[in-house]
Amino acid sequence: QAVLALCPRLVACTWPHFGRLHLLQSSSAAMDMPADTQKQVDGMIFHILSEAKDKAEEINAKALQEFNIEKAKVVKSEKEKIQQEYERKVKSIDTERAIARSTAINKSRLEKIKARQDVIMQIAADSKERLRAELRDQAKTKEFITSLIVQGMLMLLEDHVQVRCRSADDALVSSCLAGAMERYSQAIVKETGAAKTCKLALDKETKLPADCLGGVVLTCQNGTIVIDNTVDSRMGLVLEQAKPTIRRLLFHGQES
């Protein structure tokens, strides 16, 4: 009778609706139970319910603990991903800034170099105009051309040399040949004590460009040896040698 009375009560505690049905069906049996038996049954029910409650709390606690552990793992993983993404973006921004800064510096340097080159080119252009004005003086020009011819002869040290010039300068250069040959012989005697002559001839076939500043080109050995003593060549050489001085005078303190 105790077992029969206990089963409906256990069912009622676990499944309320199903338990009520069975309690109604077995209420007459429970009412027939002695009082001490009923007390034992109630004690067993209380004990079982207490254990079930403790077990449920234990399961809930364990589930909550596992949930918190998994949540912590997920949070940590996401934090690491966010940190890695942040570091990647920071590195990318730093790289872009470095590239932009380098590009800006290089652009500034190129602009500065171009500006300096423009100044030097302007100096060269101004120098050409000044030379053109100076070369209009025939007396100065004749002395200048004679010196250029003699210098070329001393570099060649040949017996026969042809002299090239602009077509417009044929008469002027022709008038310089005799004096150049004489000065050449004098220079050789002075430097070596030996007597040496050189025959000069005007090259009537090959001429210098009409737009050049003038001067002469000396050739020998059928044109295989050439000395360029044009005004343009000399000015270019002087300008190249003078560039450090020009930069120091015009761009001092702006080297960076």
Side-chain angles (χ1 to χ4, degrees):
Q1 292 178 352
V3 173
L4 291 175
L6 177 61
C7 289
R9 290 174 177 270
L10 290 175
V11 171
C13 294
T14 310
W15 300 282
H17 299 290
F18 182 76
R20 291 192 188 96
L21 178 61
H22 282 270
L23 284 173
L24 291 172
Q25 293 174 351
S26 59
S27 59
S28 59
M31 291 177 63
D32 295 337
M33 290 175 58
D36 57 343
T37 303
Q38 182 65 37
K39 186 175 181 180
Q40 291 178 3
V41 170
D42 291 340
M44 291 174 65
I45 292 172
F46 179 78
H47 179 70
I48 291 171
L49 291 176
S50 296
E51 288 186 351
K53 182 179 179 182
D54 293 341
K55 189 65 177 178
E57 291 177 353
E58 181 182 349
I59 292 172
N60 288 336
K62 186 176 181 181
L64 181 60
Q65 183 181 10
E66 291 177 353
F67 169 76
N68 289 332
I69 291 173
E70 290 300 319
K71 183 178 74 171
K73 289 181 180 179
V74 172
V75 171
K76 181 180 179 182
S77 176
E78 292 302 318
K79 281 184 178 180
E80 290 177 351
K81 289 181 181 179
I82 293 172
Q83 183 65 26
Q84 290 174 0
E85 181 66 14
Y86 172 77
E87 291 176 355
R88 185 190 67 80
K89 288 184 178 180
V90 169
K91 185 176 180 180
S92 176
I93 292 172
D94 289 342
T95 301
E96 291 176 358
R97 286 178 178 175
I99 293 173
R101 181 174 181 273
S102 177
T103 301
I105 291 173
N106 290 336
K107 182 180 179 181
S108 176
R109 287 176 177 172
L110 290 175
E111 290 175 351
K112 188 177 292 186
I113 290 172
K114 184 180 182 302
R116 292 177 179 179
Q117 189 64 27
D118 290 344
V119 172
I120 292 176
M121 293 300 293
Q122 185 60 47
I123 291 174
D126 293 344
S127 299
K128 283 185 178 182
E129 293 302 318
R130 181 70 178 271
L131 281 171
R132 283 193 178 95
E134 291 290 331
L135 292 174
R136 292 191 184 99
D137 187 329
Q138 290 296 314
K140 288 183 178 180
T141 302
K142 183 175 182 179
E143 174 61 26
F144 179 59
I145 294 297
T146 301
S147 297
L148 291 178
I149 295 172
V150 173
Q151 185 184 61
M153 294 170 69
L154 291 171
M155 295 174 70
L156 294 171
L157 295 175
E158 294 287 336
D159 295 332
H160 299 278
V161 174
Q162 279 193 319
V163 182
R164 297 173 184 170
C165 64
R166 297 182 301 183
S167 297
D169 294 334
D170 280 351
L172 174 64
V173 173
S174 295
S175 67
C176 297
L177 297 182
M181 289 186 286
E182 182 179 356
R183 288 172 57 177
Y184 169 75
S185 298
Q186 292 174 352
I188 293 295
V189 171
K190 181 178 180 181
E191 294 296 329
T192 66
K196 184 175 177 60
T197 60
C198 174
K199 183 173 179 58
L200 295 174
L202 184 66
D203 189 339
K204 297 182 179 180
E205 295 181 359
T206 305
K207 295 297 179 181
L208 299 182
D211 59 349
C212 73
L213 292 174
V216 293
V217 171
L218 280 69
T219 67
C220 61
Q221 302 295 335
N222 295 320
T224 57
I225 302 175
V226 178
I227 298 295
D228 187 348
N229 257 356
T230 59
V231 177
D232 303 78
S233 172
R234 298 301 295 270
M235 193 188 74
L237 179 62
V238 170
L239 184 62
E240 191 64 31
Q241 292 174 343
K243 277 183 179 180
T245 302
I246 293 173
R247 291 193 184 100
R248 186 173 64 253
L249 292 174
L250 296 182
F251 314 121
H252 179 67
Q254 303 177 13
E255 297 301 323
S256 58

